[in-house]
Amino acid sequence: MTALFQTYARWDIEPKKAEGAWMTSTEGKKYLDFTSGIGVLNVGHQHPAVKKAVKEQLDSFWHVSNLFKSSGQERVARLLADKTGLSRVFFANSGAEANEAAIKLARKATGRSKIITCTQSFHGRTFATMGATGQDKVKQGFGPMLSSFEYVPFNDVNAIKKAVDTQTAAVMLEIVQGEGGIYVVQQEYLDTIQTICRETGALLIIDEIQTGIGRTGQAFAFQHFQVKPDIVTLAKGLGNGLPIGAMLGSEALADYFGPGSHGSTFGGNPVSVAAAEAVLQIVFEEQFLQKVSEKSAYLFEKLHTAFKESNEVQEIRGIGLMVGIECTSEVSGYVKELQNVGILVLNAGPKVIRLLPPLTAEFTEIDLAVEKISEILKIKETV
């Protein structure tokens, strides 16, 4: 009899130890982890630099409150600001909280309430971010949503032109729709949004919760495109498993988030900030990001070669080490079968296998994952 609310369809695996791209269960079985804690462990399990930073902070103190100055927060904020061109940072505990802060800031700064998001988007499970999410399944049973959100099809230029007007506070979107199926934004769509936002005074919010911190081969996914956001939100990979989120905004927005306007008791916790600083020092190195791009090219080449004559695999898409394999069949069975052979993957909707390996994964580990995925999917084609 469990004492937990059953809000997760948990796998029948309990971790005991993990290191790098590998996890060992309490039953002693080893798994190659291509989930990275749902895009969190970008530098892998137990990275020594992150562990060292966390231990050092624990030996000093692990909480005081945001009433005190924090040189750690200042250093991490500067790293993020310098890499994005956005000069202000608010620290939260999670992606949903970062998106809540972005929604509040956009509404306060513009004096407007309407926010446009995309169908099949995912922005969180709090009431505001659930309302921002363009998927009905996350809203079922919770009554009326906040009425200030409107939804348009992803990459539909005409739809976004019609939706944004002088009553729009912001357009909020993901560069790659993670939970929505690993769909990548198109440059024309971003160009249209940016032009309309400038014409109407609406802000552009880019949700980098899953795509940020090197996941796509750039520090941030929006840097693959010609676009200048007003607000960027982060979490997941920022703390490599320690809970931290961040909302970044332009200097023009600084006065709208003054004392008393927003807050978080645990946001920017010293231990999480220490982890984040270690992560950014690793990931923001150009050589590291170049290696991610090389691994990405290698992974896509291996997948395309493995499935070039497949009737089961319809499309392989994504950026960097954020990959979707769209199948003709529902993939929940494949996810389970891959667990049986020691490979951990995710789904992104009913028919997409999602790969989110650690950015530190070795080429040999990519080979093993593709080999096992190919074996499992090819069994389907022979029965």
Side-chain angles (χ1 to χ4, degrees):
M1 179 69 178
T2 181
L4 296 170
F5 276 111
Q6 297 301 291
T7 52
Y8 301 98
R10 295 181 189 269
W11 296 341
D12 191 23
I13 302 169
E14 183 172 355
K16 182 177 182 181
K17 188 172 179 60
E19 187 170 356
W22 292 88
M23 188 197 79
T24 304
S25 74
T26 53
E27 296 180 346
K29 183 170 182 175
K30 288 191 69 175
Y31 297 87
L32 179 59
D33 183 3
F34 267 39
T35 74
S36 298
I38 315 183
V40 168
L41 297 156
N42 284 9
V43 296
H45 294 279
Q46 289 207 76
H47 191 286
V50 179
K51 183 191 290 189
K52 179 175 181 289
V54 168
K55 284 185 174 181
E56 287 177 354
Q57 185 59 54
L58 282 169
D59 286 339
S60 181
F61 63 93
W62 55 74
H63 180 77
V64 283
S65 85
N66 283 313
L67 295 175
F68 294 86
K69 292 181 178 180
S70 173
S71 58
Q73 286 187 15
E74 292 285 357
R75 289 193 300 271
V76 174
R78 177 51 53 197
L79 287 168
L80 293 172
D82 288 347
K83 208 68 174 177
T84 59
L86 297 172
S87 61
R88 298 290 176 146
V89 180
F90 173 84
F91 288 111
N93 302 293
S94 67
E97 286 189 19
N99 282 338
E100 285 271 353
I103 291 164
K104 286 181 65 175
L105 179 57
R107 289 176 58 142
K108 187 174 185 184
T110 61
R112 307 169 185 177
S113 60
K114 185 170 79 169
I115 294 178
I116 309 298
T117 69
C118 295
T119 53
Q120 294 306 114
S121 63
F122 184 84
H123 297 293
R125 293 183 183 274
T126 63
F127 227 83
T129 58
M130 182 170 58
T133 295
Q135 299 186 52
D136 289 340
K137 66 182 182 181
V138 306
K139 308 173 188 181
Q140 292 173 357
F142 296 106
M145 295 291 107
L146 297 178
S147 60
S148 54
F149 294 101
E150 294 183 14
Y151 316 99
V152 296
F154 192 56
N155 283 329
D156 189 324
V157 169
N158 291 329
I160 197 71
K161 285 180 177 179
K162 292 177 182 177
V164 181
D165 57 28
T166 56
Q167 300 304 308
T168 303
V171 177
M172 185 176 191
L173 80 157
E174 303 154 282
I175 295 296
V176 184
Q177 288 193 328
E179 305 299 320
I182 315 296
Y183 290 99
V184 182
V185 77
Q186 295 171 1
Q187 183 66 60
E188 182 186 8
Y189 190 61
L190 280 176
D191 289 343
T192 302
I193 291 172
Q194 190 156 251
T195 298
I196 295 173
C197 283
R198 287 173 178 167
E199 290 174 350
T200 61
L203 301 177
L204 173 54
I205 303 170
I206 294 186
D207 178 339
E208 292 257 12
I209 305 303
Q210 192 166 149
T211 56
I213 319 299
R215 172 57 55 184
T216 65
Q218 292 280 359
F220 304 97
F222 77 83
Q223 293 170 335
H224 290 277
F225 300 87
Q226 298 299 313
V227 63
K228 187 176 181 181
D230 299 290
I231 297 172
V232 169
T233 56
L234 305 170
K236 288 188 180 290
L238 180 58
N240 208 62
L242 277 289
I244 187 169
M247 187 272 299
L248 287 65
S250 67
E251 186 63 26
L253 301 173
D255 290 344
Y256 296 101
F257 254 25
S261 60
H262 196 51
S264 172
T265 297
F266 300 111
N269 170 272
V271 179
S272 295
V273 165
E277 185 174 7
V279 168
L280 297 184
Q281 288 171 345
I282 297 164
V283 173
F284 284 178
E285 288 291 332
E286 288 303 317
Q287 288 183 333
F288 183 92
L289 292 170
Q290 178 59 37
K291 185 64 72 173
V292 174
S293 295
E294 291 171 7
K295 292 173 184 176
S296 170
Y298 185 78
L299 174 56
F300 274 98
E301 181 182 3
K302 296 285 288 187
L303 288 170
H304 283 295
T305 299
F307 297 114
K308 63 182 177 180
E309 297 179 357
S310 173
N311 294 321
E312 177 61 9
V313 174
Q314 298 300 297
E315 187 178 15
I316 299 164
R317 55 180 179 259
I319 306 180
L321 292 177
M322 185 175 185
V323 181
I325 305 169
E326 183 170 0
C327 300
T328 58
S329 309
E330 293 199 0
V331 301
S332 57
Y334 295 149
V335 172
K336 178 61 177 174
E337 290 172 44
L338 284 164
Q339 290 173 7
N340 292 339
V341 296
I343 307 293
L344 301 178
V345 300
L346 299 160
N347 68 295
K351 294 187 177 182
V352 178
I353 296 172
R354 177 172 30 159
L355 307 182
L356 295 170
L359 308 184
T360 53
E362 302 289 343
F363 288 94
T364 53
E365 292 165 343
I366 291 172
D367 288 340
L368 177 60
V370 173
E371 175 190 336
K372 295 299 183 181
I373 293 167
S374 178
E375 288 175 1
I376 294 298
L377 267 62
K378 285 178 179 177
I379 290 173
K380 167 73 175 180
E381 296 188 9
T382 60
V383 295

